[in-house]
Amino acid sequence: MKSYFCFNRIFAGVIILVLVVTCFFACSKSTESASPNANQADNLTINAAADQAIVSGIYDDLFGIALEVGAKAGMNQAGRKANIDLTAKLGSCAIAEIDDVSAGQWPKVMLIKFGAQCADATGRVRAGNIQVTYSNFFYYPNATITIKPLSYTVNGIAVQGTKVITNLSSNSEYKYSAVINDGVLKLDTVTVSYKSNATIKQTDGLATLADVTDDVFSIFGTDSLIYPNGTTAAITVGEADALQRKIECPWFSKGKALVTVGNITANVNYGNGVCDDSASIDLGDKVKSIKLPK
């Protein structure tokens, strides 16, 4: 009887041990199988954040081009023309043509031609044409400026879509809304669609409106990137973390953008105001440094 009792205790102990080991390996297998999926989702978000840095920079550059060429052509403000040479900034091969130079006649359509290949002072290579339609002088409240790339590329990246800028300025500030619709870019082998609804505020250079080279702008709002497989990256830039763009600098030099894919959010940090081509992407304990394109 005593021997039978001991055998039962030993048998029960063996069963419990087997169950514990089985549970341990099952849990370990579950954890291991979940880890690659989590890493894949993180990497997808990090890659989308890197794409956002490229795409937003290219479309923001359209605003800078319209502002700079408008200053040289006297399209920004009545009676004021910039006494500056912008050929070094945009490239000596850039040519601007206006359809109607008659005073008081609006709208005016400007065609900016970069030819087959036009490198600017920073090494950025533009090609093709940009059409800019002014409803009035650029600096006038309620004026709209519609920018449309036509067979236009930046460093070989084809750019499509329409950017509509509306002047929301008052006596105390120069401010604009910037809406991008039907944006399409091909990044390497992937074609992405892009939409944006942003606010642009001028934060420096207000005392010298005729000279745009010292202008500084802050940009905040929402964007979205849509990939061919239906994946969407939602981008948010809060006003407190607005992206800073100095016209003389080809990159954002300050600010943060939040890029969300599904339920995972990465942070794109553009720095503390220094003009350089570096940015970082943070997602939890993962940090990726990226080099911004010219």
Side-chain angles (χ1 to χ4, degrees), residues 151-187:
S151 301
Y152 177 66
T153 64
V154 180
N155 296 333
I157 299 174
V159 183
Q160 301 177 36
T162 302
K163 184 167 188 174
V164 179
I165 301 167
T166 303
N167 193 317
L168 306 177
S169 302
S170 64
N171 291 331
S172 59
E173 65 178 356
Y174 277 84
K175 182 171 70 172
Y176 310 86
S177 72
V179 177
I180 298 171
N181 287 312
D182 303 319
V184 178
L185 294 94
K186 186 174 183 180
L187 304 176

Side-chain angles (χ1 to χ4, degrees), residues 18 56 65 67 77 106 120 133 142 149 156 160 168 191 203 229 235 251 264:
V18 171
S56 60
I65 292 173
L67 185 68
Q77 190 175 21
W106 302 98
D120 67 9
T133 303
N142 301 317
Q160 301 177 36
L168 306 177
T191 299
T203 58
N229 63 1
I235 301 102
W251 308 284
I264 299 176

Side-chain angles (χ1 to χ4, degrees), residues 41-92:
D42 285 356
N43 291 336
L44 183 64
T45 305
I46 290 172
N47 290 336
D51 290 343
Q52 185 273 340
I54 296 172
V55 173
S56 60
I58 288 175
Y59 280 101
D60 174 72
D61 185 54
L62 295 175
F63 174 84
I65 292 173
L67 185 68
E68 291 178 282
V69 177
K72 187 176 183 181
M75 297 292 290
N76 289 357
Q77 190 175 21
R80 308 273 305 264
K81 267 197 176 183
N83 187 24
I84 52 176
D85 182 8
L86 295 171
T87 57
K89 183 71 171 64
L90 293 178
S92 58

Side-chain angles (χ1 to χ4, degrees), residues 119-156:
D120 67 9
T122 68
R124 176 175 287 169
V125 179
R126 303 180 182 89
N129 303 328
I130 296 175
Q131 178 181 286
V132 185
T133 303
Y134 297 81
S135 72
N136 208 330
F137 290 108
F138 200 18
Y139 288 147
Y140 281 24
N142 301 317
T144 60
I145 301 92
T146 303
I147 306 172
K148 189 171 182 61
L150 304 174
S151 301
Y152 177 66
T153 64
V154 180
N155 296 333

Side-chain angles (χ1 to χ4, degrees), residues 253-257 267-272 278-282 290:
S253 55
K254 189 177 181 180
K256 297 178 181 180
N267 176 63
V268 185
N269 191 332
Y270 287 96
N272 57 5
S278 64
S280 64
I281 300 172
D282 307 317
I290 60 174

